[in-house]
Amino acid sequence: QLLAGQRQPRSFWTFEYYQAFFDVDTHQVLERIKGSVTPLPGKNFVRHRLRNNPDLYGPFWICATLVFAVAISGNLSHLTEKRASPAYRYSPQFHNVTIAATLIYCYAWLVPLALWGFLQWRQSHGAGAYSFLETVCVYGYSLSAYIPTAVLWLIPAAWLQWLLLAVAALLSASVLALTFWPLVRADGWATALAVVAAVVSLHALLAVGC
């Protein structure tokens, strides 16, 4: 701890600069995944899970896993639906990977960027805010609930697919709401509810898109 205060700041162009963003172990990642799907009142994800040590390791691999889970499930679901037709010939739909990757990674970076920018603007008015890395970390881990859901979408029952979607979206969106609510509630109920509603709606919209 004494030496930490004497470290020289790393250059943006060095490997060591980015190494700090992946400084986590398996236990920390699993605990953060668990926290991202268990909304508990009074348990702020940033304060109780990240503890001033946000990472990009978990969010990057959660997004990558979700991309392939959605693409593979989509291919297999399409095969299951069409295989009864004698004229059908299966061909892999590799474009699903590109579509899923574009959708998920844009959401995981652009939505946190917009929210972080809004919170930074509020910070200039005397309100608190999380860092950009913390905001991205929260959003990245919140997508972990959609991975098992995407696999279970292979079950050919529309009502079950929508039920799983609703449960996953409710759990992870609740964690997002509980995380960002303390930062926006000072603006009054109308503004705070509008911000949280936008966060939850965009999260649910991603699930519907998947």
Side-chain angles (χ1 to χ4, degrees), residues 40 70 138 160 177:
L40 299 174
V70 170
V138 172
L160 181 59

Side-chain angles (χ1 to χ4, degrees), residues 183-207:
L183 300 184
V184 296
R185 64 183 175 185
D187 283 345
W189 283 93
T191 303
L193 287 176
V195 173
V196 172
V199 168
V200 172
S201 299
L202 288 173
H203 199 67
L205 187 61
L206 172 72

Side-chain angles (χ1 to χ4, degrees), residues 61-84:
W61 286 111
I62 287 172
C63 290
T65 305
L66 181 59
V67 166
F68 286 100
V70 170
I72 293 172
S73 296
N75 273 283
L76 294 179
S77 296
H78 185 71
L79 173 62
T80 303
E81 180 183 356
K82 301 293 185 179
R83 66 180 180 181

Side-chain angles (χ1 to χ4, degrees), residues 58-145:
F60 174 82
W61 286 111
I62 287 172
C63 290
T65 305
L66 181 59
V67 166
F68 286 100
V70 170
I72 293 172
S73 296
N75 273 283
L76 294 179
S77 296
H78 185 71
L79 173 62
T80 303
E81 180 183 356
K82 301 293 185 179
R83 66 180 180 181
S85 174
Y88 174 70
R89 295 185 63 184
Y90 174 73
S91 60
Q93 298 176 321
F94 292 109
H95 64 277
N96 283 349
V97 178
T98 305
I99 295 173
T102 303
L103 175 67
I104 292 168
Y105 276 101
C106 284
Y107 172 83
W109 283 95
L110 297 182
V111 173
L113 177 62
L115 181 59
W116 174 77
F118 173 75
L119 294 177
Q120 287 294 312
W121 172 77
R122 286 187 65 258
Q123 191 178 32
S124 66
H125 291 69
Y130 301 138
S131 68
F132 177 62
L133 186 58
E134 288 173 334
T135 307
V136 170
C137 190
V138 172
Y139 266 85
Y141 277 101
S142 71
L143 299 179
S144 61

Side-chain angles (χ1 to χ4, degrees), residues 6 11 18 30-31 50 70 95 107 111 146 164 178-179:
Q6 301 177 5
S11 170
Y18 299 95
L30 292 177
E31 285 297 315
L50 300 187
V70 170
H95 64 277
Y107 172 83
V111 173
Y146 293 148
L164 293 170
L178 291 173
T179 300

